[in-house]
């Protein structure tokens, strides 16, 4: 029971805050709130924007730029926007999002003529881009399998840790990258897969692994899938870069298709941020492959129920654009050409960066720049070298040494190579 003195103190403090309110002052509710740590990726953009230097270069965030360093709106998107403008209403989408967008999106991951789609075995909802899809899945995992954990590769996209942390799913890690060979630690990965308790959840990057740019080969994916089958593990694919690995979205879905061939019941997060350049539209999809249609209906209804108190239903504009592009054969072909164009420009910049470093006489090996695939080059530079790039050359990248190749251009590649050479030549 509260003491008399306690009650008096309570009444007194209530009166005091009422007086403070009346005088225009307010109680300091948030006195205990400390500033949050800067985001390791988006914080880089903040620092870049604050730098007044005219020679500054941003190779931090994974956002595609053209060869003039300008953000790109794809032609297919411009045409879809023209068709949307003034012609379509902006009412709420259903809780699960745009049915048409989801139909087209599932074809990209599961295959144009997938039996699984025909049999309605996939529970799918529109999500707030790839991040939202991962988060929705993590919350779903926690709600229905509260004792499960998630195995996450080392390294991975930094936000994966935040997503599963905030969903209160305990995290484990598995070996992925081998720093000495700058390639895949396949033996370490397979050991971890074998040693994890049966029925564990694994987060896999479907293609163009972020940040390493290192993917398993087709043969290795087959072995991984086989071992997952033996161990009855669940594969959750994060596919944020479909099209950016090979230039062809169909080829980039290979890992998923192998798992489907082997009869796995997978989960998948898809995003149109990168491959359609719809970053800020926040359009993506979460899908969970189920045993049958009835299960899929149940799972979808639960995913919607998780979304409802958070954001009710997803945004309409990006979903309209995606639906229009993918359901019109001409626009879809234009999109495929434009994806290939983006992937090819990045591949060209990999060659240019490596050649520039070799021409400068760097004694280090830069072979990995051209061996790695997707948007990023995992350069092997130390955090201290990255800091020097920022402080002495106004070049901004994440402290793990990841270079977003999407931000490298004909105009800045020489400057970038020279700076990298300067900070690495004594190592
Ligand atoms: N999954 C992976 C593996 C990613 O790299 C990203 C984006 C996402 C999901 C989420 O993308 P959405 O925009 O939500 O579809 N990673 C980029 C973008 C910046 C960020 O950290 O969100 C990056 O630079 O790593």
């Amino acid at each position: 029971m509260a003491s008399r003195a306690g009650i008096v103190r309570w009444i007194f403090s209530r009166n005091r805050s009422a007086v403070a309110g009346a005088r225009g002052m307010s109680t300091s509710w948030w006195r205990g709130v400390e500033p949050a740590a800067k985001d390791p990726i988006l914080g880089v953009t903040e620092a870049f924007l604050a730098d007044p230097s005219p020679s500054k270069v941003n190779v931090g965030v994974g956002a595609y730029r053209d060869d003039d360093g300008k953000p790109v709106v794809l032609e297919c998107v411009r045409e879809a926007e023209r068709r949307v403008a003034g012609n379509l209403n902006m009412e709420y989408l259903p809780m699960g999002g745009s049915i048409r967008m989801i139909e087209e999106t599932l074809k990209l991951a599961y295959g144009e003529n997938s039996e699984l789609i025909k049999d309605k075995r996939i529970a799918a909802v529109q999500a707030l881009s790839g991040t939202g899809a991962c988060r929705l899945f993590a919350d779903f995992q926690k709600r229905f399998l509260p004792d499960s954990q998630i195995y996450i590769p080392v390294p991975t996209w930094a936000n994966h840790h935040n997503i599963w942390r905030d969903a209160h799913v305990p995290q484990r890690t598995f070996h992925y990258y081998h720093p000495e060979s700058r390639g895949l630690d396949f033996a370490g990965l397979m050991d971890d897969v074998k040693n994890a308790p049966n029925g564990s959840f694994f987060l896999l990057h479907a293609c163009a692994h972020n940040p390493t740019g290192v993917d398993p080969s087709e043969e290795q994916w087959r072995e991984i899938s086989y071992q997952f089958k033996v161990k009855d593990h669940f594969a959750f694919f994060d596919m944020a870069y479909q099209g950016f690995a090979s230039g062809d979205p169909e080829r980039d879905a290979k890992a998923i298709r192998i798992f489907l061939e082997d009869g796995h019941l997978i989960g998948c997060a898809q995003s149109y941020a990168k491959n359609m350049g719809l970053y800020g539209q926040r359009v993506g999809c979460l899908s969970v492959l189920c045993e049958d249609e009835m299960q899929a209906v149940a799972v979808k209804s639960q995913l919607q129920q998780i979304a409802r108190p958070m954001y009710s239903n997803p945004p309409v504009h990006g979903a309209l654009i995606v639906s229009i592009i993918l359901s019109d054969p001409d626009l879809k072909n234009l999109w495929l050409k434009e994806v290939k164009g983006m992937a090819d420009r990045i591949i060209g910049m990999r060659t240019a960066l490596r050649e520039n470093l070799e021409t400068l006489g760097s004694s280090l090996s830069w072979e990995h720049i051209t061996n790695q695939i997707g948007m990023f080059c995992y350069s092997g530079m130390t955090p201290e070298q990255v800091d020097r790039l920022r402080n002495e050359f106004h070049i901004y990248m994440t402290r793990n040494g990841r270079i977003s190749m999407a931000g490298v251009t004909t105009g800045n590649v020489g400057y970038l190579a020279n700076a990298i050479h300067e900070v690495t030549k004594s190592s």
Side-chain angles (χ1 to χ4, degrees):
M1 232 169 73
S3 68
R4 224 182 113 81
I7 292 169
V8 168
R9 254 201 317 274
W10 179 73
I11 292 170
F12 181 69
S13 73
R14 292 251 319 173
N15 285 343
R16 205 172 41 185
S17 59
V19 171
R23 285 201 197 125
M25 293 188 294
S26 54
T27 311
S28 183
W29 302 107
W30 315 121
R31 192 175 296 148
V33 179
E34 301 283 339
K38 283 243 182 279
D39 185 84
I41 300 173
L42 300 182
V44 173
T45 307
E46 284 174 30
F48 169 81
L49 291 173
D51 183 341
S53 165
S55 51
K56 65 182 177 177
V57 173
N58 187 4
V59 285
V61 69
Y64 183 80
R65 298 280 184 275
D66 66 14
D67 203 37
D68 295 321
K70 300 256 158 49
V72 172
V73 179
L74 299 184
E75 265 317 305
C76 59
V77 170
R78 294 237 185 256
E79 175 53 28
E81 295 241 76
R82 279 190 281 273
R83 294 186 196 177
V84 169
N87 293 315
L88 297 164
N89 74 62
M90 298 288 158
E91 284 202 10
Y92 294 131
L93 285 172
M95 259 192 285
S98 155
I99 309 288
R100 204 164 141 215
M101 189 282 286
I102 292 169
E103 262 173 31
E104 295 299 335
T105 304
L106 292 182
K107 286 188 210 162
L108 291 179
Y110 295 79
E112 184 78 32
N113 299 309
S114 164
E115 289 297 322
L116 304 166
I117 299 178
K118 283 189 200 125
D119 294 344
K120 300 189 167 49
R121 282 180 53 194
I122 309 170
V125 293
Q126 186 181 326
L128 300 185
S129 215
T131 307
C134 287
R135 179 60 196 272
L136 212 50
F137 180 78
D139 283 345
F140 176 71
Q141 180 187 345
K142 183 67 192 177
R143 184 167 295 186
F144 291 95
L145 291 170
D147 297 327
S148 65
Q149 306 176 338
I150 184 90
Y151 280 79
I152 293 183
V154 180
T156 194
W157 176 49
N159 210 22
H160 282 146
H161 295 293
N162 305 332
I163 289 170
W164 270 270
R165 177 201 64 209
D166 280 8
H168 307 287
V169 176
Q171 298 174 38
R172 297 280 172 274
T173 55
F174 66 93
H175 285 86
Y176 189 85
Y177 183 71
H178 192 255
E180 284 74 43
S181 68
R182 298 214 160 110
L184 185 69
D185 181 1
F186 187 59
L189 182 155
M190 289 302 275
D191 276 350
D192 291 342
V193 169
K194 285 176 193 160
N195 292 332
N198 285 4
S200 294
F201 281 66
F202 277 73
L203 167 72
L204 301 169
H205 296 226
C207 62
H209 183 272
N210 176 12
T212 66
V214 173
D215 284 352
S217 67
E218 198 179 313
E219 204 39 55
Q220 288 169 331
W221 274 123
R222 287 190 192 283
E223 285 187 49
I224 296 168
S225 172
Y226 174 79
Q227 201 54 50
F228 267 54
K229 205 78 220 176
V230 171
K231 294 285 301 182
D232 202 18
H233 291 330
F234 183 93
F236 182 74
F237 285 97
D238 183 2
M239 184 154 61
Y241 298 93
Q242 188 176 12
F244 265 97
S246 67
D248 174 8
E250 188 60 24
R251 269 179 67 186
D252 286 0
K254 191 71 202 173
I256 289 182
R257 304 295 169 76
I258 289 170
F259 271 68
L260 295 179
E261 270 171 40
D262 288 349
H264 289 281
L265 296 177
I266 63 162
C268 183
Q270 290 170 264
S271 163
Y272 288 105
K274 325 279 166 153
N275 60 10
M276 243 178 232
L278 294 176
Y279 304 90
Q281 295 291 352
R282 314 307 294 145
V283 53
C285 180
L286 166 65
S287 57
V288 179
L289 175 57
C290 298
E291 282 162 313
D292 54 36
E293 184 180 350
M294 228 168 72
Q295 194 178 80
V297 169
V299 169
K300 180 175 177 178
S301 71
Q302 293 292 350
L303 293 173
Q304 289 178 172
Q305 188 145 110
I306 294 171
R308 172 69 168 144
M310 285 199 288
Y311 54 85
S312 192
N313 47 69
V316 69
H317 192 75
L320 281 173
I321 292 170
V322 171
S323 312
I324 290 171
I325 293 172
L326 295 181
S327 55
D328 176 317
D330 290 338
L331 276 187
K332 185 170 177 186
N333 275 336
L334 176 58
W335 173 60
L336 291 171
K337 268 215 319 256
E338 294 191 277
V339 173
K340 172 126 181 45
M342 292 192 283
D344 283 350
R345 195 188 79 71
I346 292 178
I347 291 168
M349 283 305 124
R350 287 185 183 279
T351 311
L353 182 59
R354 179 177 165 187
E355 281 175 3
N356 269 275
L357 280 158
E358 287 167 356
T359 310
L360 286 162
S362 175
S363 56
L364 302 169
S365 166
W366 296 103
E367 223 180 302
H368 55 287
I369 299 180
T370 47
N371 289 344
Q372 294 167 353
I373 54 171
M375 240 188 206
F376 304 109
C377 163
Y378 203 48
S379 69
M381 281 187 284
T382 62
E384 293 70 33
Q385 290 168 337
V386 171
D387 291 345
R388 277 193 64 197
L389 286 176
R390 180 188 290 211
N391 298 336
E392 296 170 32
F393 298 92
H394 307 275
I395 293 170
Y396 290 80
M397 65 179 68
T398 53
R399 287 190 87 228
N400 59 3
R402 184 189 84 166
I403 302 168
S404 173
M405 294 305 299
V408 183
T409 65
T410 312
N412 67 26
V413 67
Y415 179 71
L416 178 65
N418 181 61
I420 292 176
H421 180 50
E422 282 304 315
V423 303
T424 56
K425 65 185 177 192
S426 57
S427 58

